[in-house]
Amino acid sequence: MDFLIEKLYREKNLSDSELKTVIEGFGSPELLVKYADEVRQKYYGKKVYLRGLIEISSYCKNDCLYCGIRRSNNNAERYRLTREEIMSCCETGYELGFRTFVMQGGEDSYFTDDFMCSLITEIKQKYPDCAVTLSLGERSYKSYERLKNAGADRYLLRHETASPELYGKLHPKEMSFKNRVECLYNLRSLGYQVGAGFMVGVPFQTTEHIIEDLRFLQDLKPHMIGIGAFIPHHDTPFRNEKAGTLGLTLRLLGILRLMFPTALIPATTALGTLAPNGRELGLKTGCNVVMPNLSPVAVRKKYSLYDNKICTGEESAECRACLQRRIESAGYEISAERGDAII
């Protein structure tokens, strides 16, 4: 079935039945890796862009069945970073050479538009050569517009699944698939660099669901695509479910790189959680972004979306030299640029 990988490489698309064949593991993984790396190097060379991740809150109003900081998890340790703590994270990141700050958190009403707009403005004034990325969940069109006008450059909002039926099995009734999709198109229309993505191996997921995800992404045309294997958390209803696999996640990363040649695709923390060299394998399969954790060490373990999450200790952002060695060992180089998507 290598001819299908060849076809995907040439044409950037396959029929649903052809995609199903490739996703389910027919065809040489070595060939997929070879072509994925070739395509990423065509557009981005050997550059790996760093994103300094600042996890600003573990409070969340939502009750997603797979997430460790879901509202009804009474065992979750909750925290909110202060404005001063967030600015300190940015200062540390800037000194380490990061030129993008990603503020991520649960859907926490404490972080109002007024708070966030003032914070974004201060960051942009102090670090004008840096990009500000937000990952704060679903908000209104007006809220997204205010944040954009304050200086936010990018917004990450995984759609999680493009199947309304599967979405309903992963989320409580009060959450709306339609609203999630509408948020993504609102962000696109406002001029954000938009990031979407889905979980791999989540309960009830089929190959057909994954194909729906790929078709949704073709329609949305996001600048960034983040996927990660589902990893269960012990305090959720999915505690006993099987985790997604490294093999399928890597195969999908390769497929995404061939279908979306200019997308920014991160080698995620979840990859590194599945295998010690998971992120390096991701880089070799088309990824070109790494997101080290800039959050204060004292709160990192509290932002527990899934079990056994790596980068909760001293080693994450501070070990800049270690990170550089790992990236170079995979055959790539850290870039000090903002790393905007090629449009």
Side-chain angles (χ1 to χ4, degrees):
M1 296 293 181
D2 284 0
F3 75 92
L4 290 179
I5 296 175
E6 297 264 4
K7 182 179 178 181
L8 184 59
Y9 170 65
R10 290 193 315 270
E11 301 180 14
K12 304 180 181 60
N13 201 9
L14 294 173
S15 69
D16 285 3
S17 62
E18 289 170 334
L19 275 173
K20 180 178 173 70
T21 299
V22 176
I23 290 167
E24 292 182 348
F26 294 94
S28 163
E30 292 79 15
L31 185 63
L32 186 60
V33 169
K34 174 181 179 290
Y35 282 147
D37 186 54
E38 185 177 313
V39 170
R40 71 91 75 192
Q41 292 207 42
K42 176 181 177 181
Y43 292 97
Y44 291 102
K46 294 184 178 295
K47 294 176 182 177
V48 175
Y49 302 112
L50 299 183
R51 312 299 201 215
L53 181 62
I54 307 170
E55 295 161 336
I56 66 174
S57 174
S58 67
Y59 285 88
C60 189
K61 70 177 185 180
N62 294 329
D63 216 17
C64 304
L65 276 70
Y66 49 83
C67 183
I69 63 169
R70 65 196 304 261
R71 182 185 68 232
S72 64
N73 180 9
N74 295 324
N75 295 322
E77 294 187 72
R78 308 293 180 177
Y79 73 90
R80 294 183 177 107
L81 296 187
T82 65
R83 183 190 183 105
E84 292 70 29
E85 286 173 321
I86 295 168
M87 291 305 300
S88 176
C89 292
C90 292
E91 182 178 359
T92 299
Y94 194 84
E95 290 171 357
L96 286 167
F98 298 176
R99 294 299 177 264
T100 293
F101 305 122
V102 181
M103 286 181 277
Q104 181 182 76
E107 293 195 21
D108 182 357
S109 59
Y110 175 85
F111 291 94
T112 62
D113 290 347
D114 287 344
F115 182 102
M116 291 306 304
C117 287
S118 174
L119 176 63
I120 293 163
T121 299
E122 182 177 355
I123 292 171
K124 296 292 281 192
Q125 286 174 345
K126 193 165 185 179
Y127 308 107
D129 55 333
C130 293
V132 170
T133 302
L134 303 176
S135 183
L136 302 173
E138 298 175 12
R139 299 170 83 100
S140 68
Y141 182 95
K142 186 173 182 180
S143 173
Y144 288 146
E145 186 175 39
R146 285 193 63 190
L147 298 172
K148 183 75 172 65
N149 290 338
D153 300 282
R154 307 173 184 146
Y155 204 102
L156 308 181
L157 181 66
R158 284 190 180 181
H159 63 278
E160 304 297 6
T161 173
S163 161
E165 169 255 338
L166 181 56
Y167 190 91
K169 292 181 178 180
L170 306 180
H171 300 90
K173 285 189 172 68
E174 66 266 19
M175 290 186 70
S176 160
F177 171 78
K178 182 181 177 183
N179 189 64
R180 175 63 61 110
V181 171
E182 187 176 306
C183 284
L184 281 162
Y185 280 96
N186 285 343
L187 290 162
R188 199 80 168 78
S189 70
L190 286 165
Y192 281 91
Q193 293 178 44
V194 176
F198 57 93
M199 289 183 289
V200 178
V202 72
F204 315 113
Q205 185 184 61
T206 65
T207 302
E208 285 71 24
H209 290 136
I210 294 172
I211 293 169
E212 282 187 81
D213 287 314
L214 297 175
R215 299 305 183 207
F216 173 76
L217 292 168
Q218 284 180 313
D219 187 68
L220 179 66
K221 298 179 177 62
H223 304 81
M224 298 162 280
I225 301 172
I227 68 170
F230 162 73
I231 300 174
H233 188 286
H234 63 278
D235 282 325
T236 70
F238 289 165
R239 64 179 68 84
N240 295 321
E241 299 289 343
K242 289 183 180 179
T245 66
L246 179 65
L248 179 56
T249 306
L250 290 171
R251 180 167 284 270
L252 287 169
L253 286 170
I255 291 169
L256 285 167
R257 176 51 70 199
L258 297 185
M259 291 182 72
F260 304 93
T262 62
L264 294 163
I265 303 178
T268 62
T269 302
L271 274 177
T273 300
L274 288 172
N277 63 338
R279 284 177 294 184
E280 289 89 333
L281 292 172
L283 293 173
K284 291 179 178 180
T285 316
C287 296
N288 58 346
V289 171
V290 175
M291 298 174 66
N293 199 331
L294 283 174
S295 308
V297 173
V299 304
R300 290 182 192 171
K301 290 182 180 178
K302 297 177 184 179
Y303 197 79
S304 176
L305 305 184
Y306 50 83
D307 285 348
N308 304 314
K309 180 183 170 190
I310 61 167
C311 294
T312 56
E314 295 282 356
E315 58 86 24
S316 49
E318 287 76 1
C319 189
R320 174 68 162 70
C322 170
L323 182 65
Q324 183 162 337
R325 283 195 301 274
R326 295 185 70 147
I327 289 172
E328 289 175 352
S329 74
Y332 304 99
E333 60 193 34
I334 286 177
S335 171
E337 303 167 28
R338 277 175 35 133
D340 292 301
I342 296 170
I343 300 173

